[in-house]
Amino acid sequence: DAGITQSPRYKITETGRQVTLMCHQTWSHSYMFWYRQDLGHGLRLIYYSAAADITDKGEVPDGYVVSRSKTENFPLTLESATRSQTSVYFCASSESQRAPYNEQFFGPGTRLTVL
Amino acid sequence: LAKTTQPISMDSYEGQEVNITCSHNNIATNDYITWYQQFPSQGPRFIIQGYKTKVTNEVASLFIPADRKSSTLSLPRVSLSDTAVYYCPYVSSNTGKLIFGQGTTLQVKP
């Protein structure tokens, strides 16, 4: 399927477990982003990537790890999940960082619950 | 950290024109102004983007004054399906990062 997909869509895990959220895009966009959305906080940027093997921190990176070995994939790993990481996670991609090609396309989201 | 400011919520009725304003006090010379829309249980969706003056597409119009310190998103003749959260995130022209605020929750009533 063309576009940007996330898996799983729903995940329940326990405190201390490692969890990996997957993101895949078919456009060969250079830029990819991970956001989390919590009630009362809007969307907050966790990590972003300008190209394969290039990643950088966003607003709230603590407790998360990312990698980007291939342009189309950008997995997000919670190394030791905590209850405060219960959230909805959105992945996004864009062709460029410069307008007018910087429109970000968002995935459907992953709802993660940490018990 | 550069950010934008917008009203938390707005109410409107079907068929009315809705104008949502955003303050961009820290906007840089090369930054564009961008608006996104988000429906419940979905990811945000790009609506419109502009640099100055007025931009119009099939969904909305965007008005940007000469000093570029603010912008107004205009939705003509809203319907119930326009009920959503509207964001005017800060957009970094160097990295492409979006810094979202809490957005404006628009409630359209019949």
Side-chain angles (χ1 to χ4, degrees):
Chain A
D1 292 337
I4 184 165
T5 57
Q6 294 182 234
S7 61
R9 294 294 314 280
Y10 303 89
K11 177 73 177 179
I12 300 174
T13 191
E14 295 178 338
T15 301
R17 291 189 180 270
Q18 182 180 79
V19 177
T20 295
L21 309 184
M22 304 301 295
C23 179
H24 175 79
Q25 51 102 357
T26 62
W27 297 300
S28 298
H29 282 171
S30 295
Y31 287 77
M32 296 189 74
F33 308 84
W34 273 107
Y35 298 88
R36 60 177 289 175
Q37 186 168 36
D38 308 293
L39 283 175
H41 286 279
L43 289 112
R44 292 181 290 177
L45 180 66
I46 305 171
Y47 268 96
Y48 69 102
S49 169
D53 297 321
I54 301 175
T55 63
D56 205 351
K57 296 177 180 179
E59 300 172 86
V60 289
D62 292 345
Y64 303 95
V65 174
V66 294
S67 62
R68 194 165 176 210
S69 58
K70 294 183 178 181
T71 298
E72 61 268 28
N73 297 324
F74 191 37
L76 175 73
T77 298
L78 289 66
E79 292 188 302
S80 179
T82 65
R83 291 183 179 177
S84 65
Q85 292 177 309
T86 292
S87 186
V88 179
Y89 291 84
F90 289 102
C91 178
S93 72
S94 68
E95 180 178 349
S96 171
Q97 84 280 22
R98 297 198 180 277
Y101 307 107
N102 61 344
E103 173 185 346
Q104 289 192 20
F105 296 86
F106 284 77
T110 294
R111 185 174 295 274
L112 175 68
T113 301
V114 183
L115 301 176
Chain B
L1 181 65
K3 63 177 183 180
T4 58
T5 306
Q6 55 185 124
I8 295 296
S9 64
M10 293 181 69
D11 289 339
S12 182
Y13 291 93
E14 284 191 290
Q16 290 187 332
E17 178 184 75
V18 172
N19 295 310
I20 306 174
T21 60
C22 181
S23 170
H24 307 266
N25 286 327
N26 296 324
I27 192 167
T29 302
N30 295 327
D31 291 343
Y32 275 64
I33 292 172
T34 305
W35 285 79
Y36 283 75
Q37 174 192 55
Q38 185 179 26
F39 297 113
S41 301
Q42 295 184 23
R45 181 176 72 112
F46 173 91
I47 301 176
I48 196 166
Q49 177 172 249
Y51 185 79
K52 61 181 179 180
T53 63
K54 177 183 175 181
V55 179
T56 298
N57 62 20
E58 65 278 5
V59 176
S61 294
L62 179 60
F63 299 90
I64 304 170
D67 66 4
R68 301 193 338 111
K69 297 296 186 183
S70 66
S71 67
T72 299
L73 176 73
S74 182
L75 304 173
R77 298 180 297 281
V78 294
S79 64
L80 296 177
S81 62
D82 291 316
T83 293
V85 181
Y86 293 82
Y87 298 95
C88 57
Y90 166 74
V91 183
S92 169
S93 59
N94 292 326
T95 65
K97 292 191 297 184
L98 298 178
I99 305 298
F100 286 86
Q102 293 194 33
T104 298
T105 299
L106 173 65
Q107 179 70 51
V108 181
K109 302 175 182 179

